Amino acid sequence: MQPKVIATDAALQLIETLKAKYGPLMFHQSGGCCDGSSPMCYPQGELMIGDSDVLLGEIGGCPFYISAAQYEYWKHTQLIIDVVPGRGGMFSLEGPEGVRFLTRSRVFD
């Protein structure tokens, strides 16, 4: 079975950099609003995970969650977490690095 979330080499390198600065991390796929639809990176435990969140898997040894409602739209896709130049979400840890995490997706066969 294919993993539901994976990360590019660039994303994995950034995760290691952030773990060295902040310790254990977690991700949550934002569903829009203030930061658009982007993967948000937090220190592990900083974001309250509830019954309406789905654990998709791990990237770089970090848990990756998505809301159940958003998962219903994306359940037939694999999320590919990448890094691109630019400012990330204002609450996501990669912001000061001058890059941001980006979600790409592909439909499962």
Side-chain angles (χ1 to χ4, degrees):
M1 190 161 127
Q2 294 283 335
K4 294 201 175 268
V5 61
I6 61 173
T8 64
D9 288 342
L12 292 172
Q13 288 175 345
L14 180 57
I15 289 168
E16 289 305 312
T17 298
L18 295 174
K19 283 174 23 178
K21 288 183 177 184
Y22 302 104
L25 305 174
M26 64 184 292
F27 286 84
H28 195 282
Q29 177 63 44
S30 172
C33 183
C34 305
D35 292 313
S37 184
S38 60
M40 303 294 290
C41 180
Y42 303 100
Q44 193 163 358
E46 185 172 298
L47 181 69
M48 294 286 294
I49 299 301
D51 293 340
S52 63
D53 292 303
V54 174
L55 176 62
L56 282 186
E58 290 188 354
I59 57 171
C62 307
F64 193 101
Y65 297 90
I66 189 171
S67 72
Q70 192 172 10
Y71 176 73
E72 282 302 309
Y73 291 111
W74 289 11
K75 66 184 174 186
H76 302 294
T77 65
Q78 180 180 57
L79 301 187
I80 303 155
I81 308 307
D82 201 359
V83 174
V84 295
R87 294 281 304 162
M90 66 180 142
F91 301 113
S92 195
L93 292 177
E94 80 278 7
E97 304 297 319
V99 293
R100 65 185 181 94
F101 289 109
L102 175 76
T103 300
R104 302 179 195 282
S105 64
R106 71 171 193 85
V107 177
F108 284 117
D109 297 334

